[in-house]
Amino acid sequence: MKRNILEAAKVIRSKNAGPFELTFDIMFKNREFYEQFKSQKIINEKMIAGILKISESDILSLIWFAPANAVKITIKRPMPSGAPGETDIYGAQQHAPLLAIEF
Amino acid sequence: MTTNEEFRVLSPTAILGYGFPESSFKRGIERKPHLIAVDAGSTDPGPYYLGAGKAFTDRAFVKRDLRYMIKEGVRLGIPVVVGTAGGSGASVHLEWCRTIIEEIAQEEKLSFKMGVIPSDVDKQAVKKALREGRISPLACVHELTEGLIDETTYLVAQIGIEPIIEALQAGCNVVLAGRCYDPAVFAALPVMQGYDEGLALHMGKILECAAIAATPGSGADCALGILKKDSFILEALNPKRRFTCESAAAHTLYEKSDPYHLPGPGGSINLEDCSFTDAGDGRVEVKGSRHEKTPRYLIKLEGARPIGYRSISIAGTRDPIMIAGIDKIIDEVKQQISDMSGENDRSQQLFFHVYGKNGVMGPLEPLTQTASHELCIVIEALCPTQEQADTLCSVARSTLLHYGYEGRISTAGNLAFPFSPSDIKMGQVFEFSIYHLMDPGDEKLFATHIENYQDGRKA
């Protein structure tokens, strides 16, 4: 049976990394979950692109960061911060689709 | 430097003007800091503030924060360094903040020497660099053109530690800098005294958000950084908070694209061998951060240009039939307005932000059907002039209000307006026009202007 990511993660957030990039952090509850997600590649570029409805080429990096038991995904911002049609200047409320990840 | 020596930095608040508890600041002062430093800005609030030359923080609270810092700094002989004055750090922001300090000096009758470092870059110098191939865009950024440079209202560079060190070496008690690499205000003085640049900058990277990196986090509380020969220690100054390995490591991820390599002017901080260990009493010790110089000393340029004017109207709907058909209704309303204006003028842009459906994520929203019983609709018109924006907003509002959509049973009006007047002029709109790296070559771009205050009077 699939489990929801919130059983494994305690922080899931999004934020601008400068006005042209958007970055997502998933911090796991402990080193075991971190290692499980990392070794099984549960979080990967293809899956993130699907969830965020973006092209895989718009994912700039997916980096595992052990000191924080975290994985960081940085994408090309859908539009530069504040451009016409903007909905979220700080990019702080774009994380919700990640809450649906299952493992 | 001996191994016992340490350099203590007091960071009062995440952004100048966000405030801090007096008790935390006093605890910080009791720890006898060698430096009080604060970052006063960010690009996060969007392009308007840089483009329009306005501060995004409140003047009264910026003055309140500065009064504590400057009064205590001058009284105790602790240097005070402020970076990215006025939020965006252009000359107009710098002057705004300088005036506040001048007022504090007068009101408190203070005597000190202040170094003011503008970070504006001359447009001709940037054009020359562009022609000579010394400009490159950052990731996901458009190519720069001379036209974009011409249209940019304010053009600044993020300065590194070097101009601040110059001001401190000139004996300034207070240093007020324009746009500044956030960690530079914290790192300049210890690096000048021989401390490791990698550790000093990494400590600055954490301190620039003050207690945000502690737990529970707060952008409006103080933090202390203690820099040693081979490590630094983070300490909260409010008994309610503490630093943990986790909170410090988590903060290293914050707002950046790669947590192992943090680029800045002239180099980057390498955290591949960085470790966080518990130092007891809510303190964390960080080791292994290294500074690596880049082959050329590159600086980041930031600029914004005006792209038109905006008007908005805020309304709600509680009608289930309208809510079910909202996408189609908006498409039809857009079409009707475009038919009425007679031409498809692409300079006039109309947006409907539908809160309760996809107002936050727009086209990226994965849920297509709303479950909400009411929606908020923000009509946004973006046009070359304010008059055009007002007209487009007004027409869109009245058209949607009385639009006879399919299946309508509520024929008296489709929208609930909370306000009269219903339409708001938002003024000029800007976009980031420059976010590029520049190789300044041998040109010295930044110099300190010195001001002396004697008993509050500028000498």
Side-chain angles (χ1 to χ4, degrees), chain A residues 5 11-17 21-28 37 42-52 54-56 58-65 70-77 91 94-95 98 101, chain B residues 253 255-259:
Chain A
I5 187 149
V11 172
I12 297 181
R13 64 187 184 189
S14 68
K15 184 79 198 281
N16 292 349
E21 295 174 30
L22 185 64
T23 192
F24 298 86
D25 298 333
I26 300 174
M27 289 178 217
F28 296 96
F37 273 71
I42 296 170
I43 307 270
N44 58 64
E45 281 86 351
K46 188 163 182 261
M47 176 256 242
I48 293 291
I51 285 183
L52 297 177
I54 58 170
S55 141
E56 240 181 280
D58 284 341
I59 298 181
L60 304 173
S61 64
L62 189 154
I63 297 172
W64 296 88
F65 188 61
V71 60
K72 173 179 264 305
I73 305 116
T74 302
I75 68 167
K76 180 181 176 186
R77 223 176 173 289
Q94 302 302 310
H95 62 290
L98 300 184
I101 294 174
Chain B
L253 290 170
E255 296 180 329
K256 25 201 117 42
S257 42
D258 174 351

Side-chain angles (χ1 to χ4, degrees), chain B residues 26-202:
Chain B
K26 276 187 174 162
R27 246 175 251 117
I29 291 295
E30 282 163 15
R31 301 283 282 107
K32 298 195 186 336
H34 303 90
L35 170 69
I36 303 171
V38 73
D39 164 39
S42 172
T43 55
D44 258 346
Y48 173 81
Y49 300 95
L50 173 60
K54 300 274 173 61
F56 65 83
T57 44
D58 177 70
R59 191 181 199 277
F61 241 60
V62 167
K63 189 170 178 181
R64 178 253 182 214
D65 288 357
L66 277 172
R67 188 187 302 275
Y68 279 104
M69 296 169 60
I70 294 189
K71 227 174 112 177
E72 286 304 282
V74 170
R75 182 175 74 86
L76 298 165
I78 308 166
V80 176
V81 180
V82 180
T84 311
S88 302
S91 48
V92 59
H93 306 95
L94 191 65
E95 178 57 17
W96 180 83
C97 199
R98 195 200 60 78
T99 312
I100 296 173
I101 295 177
E102 194 172 287
E103 283 175 20
I104 295 168
Q106 284 165 4
E107 288 161 16
E108 304 289 341
K109 298 193 171 29
L110 300 174
S111 304
F112 61 93
K113 186 171 175 177
M114 175 157 78
V116 180
I117 313 172
S119 71
D120 306 71
V121 182
D122 178 59
K123 286 184 182 179
Q124 296 310 321
V126 178
K127 283 187 185 174
K128 185 164 178 281
L130 182 64
R131 287 193 291 267
E132 292 173 0
R134 288 186 282 115
I135 301 273
S136 52
L138 281 146
C140 310
V141 179
H142 51 268
E143 287 293 330
L144 191 56
T145 63
E146 296 206 12
L148 282 173
I149 298 171
D150 283 333
E151 289 170 17
T152 295
T153 47
Y154 292 103
L155 204 174
V156 294
Q158 283 196 12
I159 64 166
I161 57 173
E162 297 80 1
I164 300 172
I165 289 178
E166 225 174 89
L168 291 164
Q169 277 171 339
C172 295
N173 312 80
V174 176
V175 178
L176 179 67
R179 186 63 174 131
C180 207
Y181 177 47
D182 294 346
V185 291
F186 304 92
L189 184 54
V191 170
M192 175 180 135
Q193 294 186 4
Y195 286 86
D196 179 77
E197 196 168 343
L199 290 168
L201 285 170
H202 188 201

Side-chain angles (χ1 to χ4, degrees), chain A residues 10 13 15-23 25-29 34 51-54 58 60-61 63-78 80-90 93-97, chain B residues 18 43-47 56 138-142 245-246 249-260 271 274 276 300 307 310 349 351 353 355 358-368 380 382 429-435:
Chain A
K10 58 175 183 177
R13 64 187 184 189
K15 184 79 198 281
N16 292 349
F20 293 85
E21 295 174 30
L22 185 64
T23 192
D25 298 333
I26 300 174
M27 289 178 217
F28 296 96
K29 287 180 177 169
Y34 170 82
I51 285 183
L52 297 177
K53 300 206 290 188
I54 58 170
D58 284 341
L60 304 173
S61 64
I63 297 172
W64 296 88
F65 188 61
N69 290 330
V71 60
K72 173 179 264 305
I73 305 116
T74 302
I75 68 167
K76 180 181 176 186
R77 223 176 173 289
S81 170
E86 176 64 272
T87 59
D88 185 2
I89 297 269
Y90 288 69
Q93 280 296 309
Q94 302 302 310
H95 62 290
Chain B
Y18 278 16
T43 55
D44 258 346
F56 65 83
L138 281 146
C140 310
V141 179
H142 51 268
C245 296
E246 219 164 22
H251 189 73
T252 299
L253 290 170
Y254 187 60
E255 296 180 329
K256 25 201 117 42
S257 42
D258 174 351
Y260 290 109
L271 301 183
C274 175
F276 299 83
K300 189 200 282 189
I307 54 166
R310 178 182 283 133
Q349 301 183 72
F351 302 96
H353 302 265
Y355 290 93
N358 61 4
V360 172
M361 298 197 65
L364 294 184
E365 173 58 57
L367 299 180
T368 49
E380 175 192 2
L382 180 51
V429 179
F430 293 81
E431 73 175 14
F432 285 110
S433 50
I434 305 180
Y435 200 68

